[in-house]
């Protein structure tokens, strides 16, 4: 067995258990950090399965179906298509991807999935609570 | 204080943004970008969702032959746009008369 | 396991374990490697990593070995080979490492020269 084989896989399991644990802890404690991101995190969760276009700070724009999102607003997309494929030849073989939340500039939202009244109410609630 | 009074109070900068909810706002972003649109949601990171957005990108380009520099503005419209707060440099609520 | 667990984007990287992934970094480089581990910050471990450089119609993979990438430098990660059997090099010509580095340098020099000529012509504006 090569050493690189031994280290990472066990490392991965440990990491996953750690994430799971910190998640269940977070569910009990109503910390402000959760409130911080709750509005957009909750909102993006309602968009799972819908088409979005994510525009990154490096100007790459990726259209695809939203698969999942987490509290950092990391995003996972399926059936992705890069808008300007000629400029980003590396992306040609990629059809699903994980995007780190911190590199996102914009997300274009599907018109049908935006209920502005719900957004207004949620925003006012969040502003009061925080 | 009633909920309505609570909503109208201004104590900190972000309270001004709350008063701009459902109004047209001007947002300046990193990378010489600007967006104008109706504010539908925001949080304390200044993540926001704007509707009927017009985005303007200002860039300096160079003429291939004369090497003259000129500024180019690119405009586009987006129905609904989520903007990540860390790219936002300023938000201007509508002027009240 | 709860629903929120399944919805978590970082957690779903578990599906990519032991698969070849393209990782785009903030400095613009593109690394391909086998995902062996990750954590909640998206720090990742890539085995048999290569840097794929594409210049025009040429490409080359530069071997890097075992790479641990700090999460904040990750822009995105995508499955390579998830698109049928395409691996993204179709229509490209594979060249050796030295040649692609020369090609990239030539490319960068051309860009830099453009800027240089511009600078020298600045006096025209006065």
């Amino acid at each position: 067995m090569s050493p690189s084989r031994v280290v990472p896989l066990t490392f991965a399991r440990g990491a996953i258990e750690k994430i799971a644990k910190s998640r269940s802890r977070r569910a009990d404690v109503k910390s402000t950090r959760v409130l911080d991101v709750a509005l957009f995190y909750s909102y993006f969760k309602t968009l799972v399965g819908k088409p979005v276009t994510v525009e990154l700070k490096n100007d790459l724009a990726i259209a695809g179906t939203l698969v999942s999102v987490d509290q950092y607003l990391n995003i996972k997309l399926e059936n992705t298509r890069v808008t300007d494929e000629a400029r980003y030849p590396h992306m040609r073989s990629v059809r699903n991807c994980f995007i780190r939340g911190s590199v996102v500039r914009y997300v274009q939202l599907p018109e049908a999935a935006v209920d502005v009244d719900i957004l207004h109410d949620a925003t006012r609630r969040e502003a009061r609570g925080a | 204080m009633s909920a309505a009074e609570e909503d109208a109070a201004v104590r900190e900068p972000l309270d001004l943004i709350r008063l701009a909810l459902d109004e047209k706002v001007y947002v300046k972003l990193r990378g010489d970008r600007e967006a104008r649109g109706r504010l539908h949601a925001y949080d304390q990171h200044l993540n926001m969702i704007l509707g009927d957005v017009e985005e303007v990108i200002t860039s300096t380009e160079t003429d291939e032959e004369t090497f003259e520099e000129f500024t180019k503005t690119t405009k586009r419209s987006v129905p609904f746009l989520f903007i990540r707060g860390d790219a936002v440099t300023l938000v201007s609520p509508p002027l009240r008369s | 396991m709860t629903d929120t667990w399944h919805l978590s984007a970082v957690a779903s990287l578990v599906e990519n374990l032991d698969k070849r992934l393209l990782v785009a970094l903030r400095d613009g480089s593109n690394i391909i490697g086998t995902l062996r581990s990750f954590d909640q910050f998206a720090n990742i471990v890539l085995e048999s990593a290569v840097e794929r450089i594409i210049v025009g119609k040429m490409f080359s993979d530069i071997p890097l070995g075992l790479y641990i990438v700090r999460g904040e430098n990750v822009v995105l990660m995508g499955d390579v080979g998830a698109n049928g059997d395409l691996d993204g090099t179709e229509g490209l010509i594979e060249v050796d490492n030295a040649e692609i580095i020369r090609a990239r340098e030539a490319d960068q020099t051309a860009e830099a020269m453009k800027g240089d000529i511009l600078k020298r012509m600045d006096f025209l504006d006065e």
Side-chain angles (χ1 to χ4, degrees):
Chain A
M1 227 187 217
S2 69
S4 49
R5 179 80 208 166
V6 180
V7 181
L9 272 180
T10 45
F11 178 22
R13 297 235 167 76
I16 294 160
E17 274 158 26
K18 225 157 72 192
I19 301 172
K21 248 187 236 151
S22 73
R23 280 180 168 274
S24 58
R25 219 181 17 249
R26 226 172 271 136
D28 307 333
V29 186
K30 256 203 163 177
S31 76
T32 47
R33 263 208 60 72
V34 176
L35 282 173
D36 266 5
V37 289
L39 199 171
F40 289 99
Y41 171 42
S42 315
Y43 175 67
F44 275 111
K45 276 200 286 190
T46 69
L47 296 183
V48 167
K50 303 217 160 63
V52 294
T53 301
V54 181
E55 298 183 33
L56 310 186
K57 287 176 182 144
N58 65 4
D59 292 340
L60 179 64
I62 309 164
T65 309
L66 186 66
V67 179
S68 62
V69 64
D70 61 25
Q71 79 265 34
Y72 303 109
L73 305 185
N74 295 320
I75 286 173
K76 210 165 178 198
L77 295 181
E78 229 170 45
N79 301 318
T80 52
R81 195 173 38 76
V82 170
T83 314
D84 189 359
E85 226 166 55
R87 246 185 89 196
Y88 302 95
H90 294 91
M91 293 295 294
R92 288 194 312 173
S93 63
V94 173
R95 283 300 172 269
N96 55 69
C97 72
F98 166 92
I99 300 165
R100 204 165 191 275
S102 59
V103 302
V104 172
R105 179 188 285 133
Y106 299 136
V107 181
Q108 294 182 36
L109 308 168
E111 236 176 310
V114 183
D115 184 322
V116 297
D117 293 326
I118 290 177
L119 285 176
H120 296 170
D121 288 348
T123 301
R124 290 207 181 91
R125 244 196 330 270
E126 174 121 337
R128 255 181 244 140
Chain B
M1 222 195 275
S2 72
E5 283 168 40
E6 179 76 22
D7 280 351
V10 177
R11 293 192 198 82
E12 51 172 47
L14 290 204
D15 289 339
L16 282 166
I17 297 178
R18 192 188 61 226
L19 296 177
L21 209 58
D22 205 19
E23 307 264 4
K24 286 268 278 182
V25 291
Y26 165 74
V27 182
K28 212 162 156 29
L29 299 137
R30 286 171 190 244
D32 293 315
R33 285 160 191 268
E34 302 162 278
R36 284 181 178 79
R38 196 168 288 279
L39 179 69
H40 291 307
Y42 75 90
D43 65 10
Q44 50 270 73
H45 305 287
L46 290 186
N47 291 322
M48 47 186 114
I49 291 176
L50 300 188
D52 291 321
V53 191
E54 188 183 68
E55 191 213 9
V56 181
I57 309 166
T58 313
S59 55
T60 349
E61 301 228 338
T62 316
D63 190 298
E64 289 284 329
E65 273 150 36
T66 65
F67 292 105
E68 262 181 288
E69 281 189 40
F70 56 96
T71 33
K72 195 179 114 190
T73 56
T74 318
K75 274 188 198 180
R76 61 164 181 166
S77 299
V78 186
F80 286 105
L81 195 62
F82 164 80
I83 301 176
R84 196 170 158 101
D86 57 5
V88 172
T89 57
L90 79 84
V91 184
S92 177
L95 287 176
R96 292 173 188 282
S97 45
Chain C
M1 293 256 174
T2 61
D3 278 341
T4 48
W5 169 250
H6 287 291
L7 281 167
S8 160
V10 168
S12 67
L13 281 175
V14 74
E15 293 160 24
N16 300 100
L17 275 176
D18 300 330
K19 298 218 176 89
R20 290 297 272 179
L21 280 193
L22 169 81
V23 181
L25 301 184
R26 276 203 311 192
D27 68 358
S29 60
N30 291 274
I31 312 291
I32 295 173
T34 309
L35 183 69
R36 293 300 191 194
S37 181
F38 64 90
D39 64 15
Q40 65 267 47
F41 308 110
N43 294 320
I44 52 169
V45 176
L46 294 174
E47 197 181 359
S48 318
V50 297
E51 176 177 0
R52 175 161 293 170
I53 303 178
I54 303 181
V55 180
K57 286 269 159 234
M58 292 184 288
F59 87 96
S60 191
D61 290 341
I62 297 176
L64 305 171
L66 184 70
Y67 253 42
I68 299 155
V69 183
R70 192 172 148 86
E72 64 172 335
N73 295 301
V74 172
V75 172
L76 63 85
M77 302 181 222
D79 264 329
V80 232
N83 182 25
D85 285 319
L86 299 182
D87 74 343
T89 60
E90 291 71 24
L92 300 177
I93 304 148
E94 181 156 17
V95 298
D96 63 35
N97 293 170
E99 189 166 349
I100 203 77
I101 288 167
R102 271 199 302 277
R104 184 169 64 177
E105 272 166 12
D107 218 49
Q108 285 163 351
T109 315
E111 281 299 309
M113 258 169 69
K114 238 196 209 166
D116 200 39
I117 291 168
L118 269 176
K119 235 184 249 158
R120 279 188 240 164
M121 288 177 83
D122 261 358
F123 69 94
L124 291 177
D125 294 338
E126 283 161 19

